[in-house]
Amino acid sequence: MLALSTSSVQEAARLREDLSLPFAVLADPQGQAVRALGLLHARGGPGGHDVALPAHVLVERGGRVAWRHVARRIQDRPTPGEVEDMFHQHLPR
């Protein structure tokens, strides 16, 4: 599990530390990965900066997106159980 942010490397590291996250926060300040996943919210951040839409994405080892949930608002998120179910449905057997 990891998080993807359009923040700088330093901001992503600070976010992980401040929230005591047990997973990596990858910095994507140019938005390349966010764009590739179709998750760019152009000019949606503070000061009109591009940000990522809040989403959960399950990517298989080969790079295929197996499941995704893109939130309409920050509170629109799958439960941990729903994410775990999707993970187990897509594990290699």
Side-chain angles (χ1 to χ4, degrees):
M1 178 184 293
L2 58 88
L4 181 61
S5 171
T6 54
S7 302
S8 69
V9 172
Q10 295 81 7
E11 290 169 318
R14 187 172 48 250
L15 176 68
R16 181 178 185 207
E17 183 178 317
D18 288 351
L19 298 176
S20 300
L21 298 174
F23 49 83
V25 178
L26 301 182
D28 184 23
Q30 304 305 317
Q32 294 172 323
V34 169
R35 278 185 183 83
L37 290 167
L39 299 174
L40 183 71
H41 184 185
R43 297 176 299 285
H49 293 282
D50 292 347
V51 294
L53 292 166
H56 290 72
V57 181
L58 178 61
V59 181
E60 294 179 341
R61 289 186 194 272
R64 185 180 80 82
V65 174
W67 175 78
R68 66 190 259 148
H69 174 87
V70 180
R72 283 167 263 157
R73 60 184 202 280
I74 197 74
Q75 298 87 353
D76 176 24
R77 296 181 184 246
T79 67
E82 290 170 329
V83 173
E84 185 177 9
D85 288 348
M86 287 300 117
F87 180 77
H88 289 296
Q89 286 178 19
H90 295 283
L91 278 175
R93 300 187 192 272

